[in-house]
Amino acid sequence: MMEHSYHYLAMASHALLRQLFFEGLRQTGLTPGQPKILDFLRENEGAEQKEVARACHIKGATCTVILTKMEEQGLVERRMLHGNRRSLYIFLTPKGRQTAQLVWERFELLEKEVFSVMEPAEKEMFMEQLERLYKRLRELEEENSAVM
């Protein structure tokens, strides 16, 4: 019964959430990968590029490609700080801040709609369990990285 497995439900839920999310933001021209970066930068502006990649669960090279496209779209700018040429720091442009706000509002609306089938206590319990699963997945990721 695939529909009752964690991997299937997580994958299917993510696919449906992503589809609904992008339908509501079609006018922005955002591509996959960009919303999570905008959402992260909304609260962590000036983060190093490698920190953005890690927080958004993407490879460094992938992050570079996405950020280059976002720079071309006028959403972000990369800067060196304190004369450090080895690290680039990512900042939102005014257009990027506006788009990040739209992304955040869309995430909030979808979350409200999705959780409307649960009582507040059920949602809280669900989120606690989901956080536990997420932390375990991060541990497994770190264990796998240490082996390689």
Side-chain angles (χ1 to χ4, degrees), residues 141-148:
E141 176 191 44
E142 289 175 19
E143 290 170 15
N144 284 340
S145 295
V147 171
M148 295 180 158

Side-chain angles (χ1 to χ4, degrees), residues 17 22 27 40 52 61-62 88:
L17 182 67
F22 277 105
Q27 79 283 3
F40 176 75
V52 173
T62 303
L88 291 173

Side-chain angles (χ1 to χ4, degrees), residues 124-139:
E124 187 175 333
M125 189 183 322
F126 173 80
M127 291 303 293
E128 288 171 4
Q129 297 300 315
L130 191 57
E131 284 179 32
R132 284 179 57 199
L133 293 174
Y134 172 76
K135 287 177 184 175
R136 180 61 185 140
L137 287 168
R138 288 302 293 233
E139 290 170 2

Side-chain angles (χ1 to χ4, degrees), residues 2-127:
M2 204 160 83
E3 294 83 19
H4 293 291
S5 69
Y6 169 74
H7 77 271
Y8 176 80
L9 289 172
M11 177 195 61
S13 295
H14 175 72
L16 289 169
L17 182 67
R18 185 173 151 164
Q19 178 184 341
L20 290 167
F21 175 81
F22 277 105
E23 282 176 11
L25 289 175
R26 208 173 288 144
Q27 79 283 3
T28 65
L30 293 175
T31 60
Q34 292 179 338
K36 61 186 165 188
I37 290 175
L38 288 169
D39 194 46
F40 176 75
L41 290 173
R42 193 176 58 79
E43 302 230 351
N44 300 280
E45 195 163 0
E48 282 188 81
Q49 186 169 318
K50 62 185 174 184
E51 183 184 354
V52 173
R54 177 158 168 70
C56 295
H57 303 284
I58 53 179
K59 303 265 186 237
T62 303
C63 188
T64 299
V65 170
I66 295 170
L67 288 171
T68 298
K69 176 76 172 162
M70 292 174 77
E71 221 171 7
E72 291 168 359
Q73 292 172 303
L75 298 171
V76 299
E77 60 182 358
R78 293 184 258 200
R79 297 186 215 150
M80 286 186 292
L81 294 179
H82 318 296
N84 182 356
R85 296 180 193 197
R86 296 174 67 185
S87 295
L88 291 173
Y89 299 85
I90 313 303
F91 293 87
L92 293 170
T93 63
K95 179 182 177 183
R97 275 187 212 86
Q98 181 182 16
T99 306
Q101 182 63 31
L102 290 173
V103 164
W104 184 81
E105 289 169 5
R106 183 67 182 158
F107 279 139
E108 285 290 303
L109 176 68
L110 280 173
E111 192 167 312
K112 195 176 285 186
E113 289 176 0
V114 168
F115 282 107
S116 69
V117 298
M118 292 184 181
E119 296 296 323
E122 290 176 305
K123 177 187 175 188
E124 187 175 333
M125 189 183 322
F126 173 80
M127 291 303 293

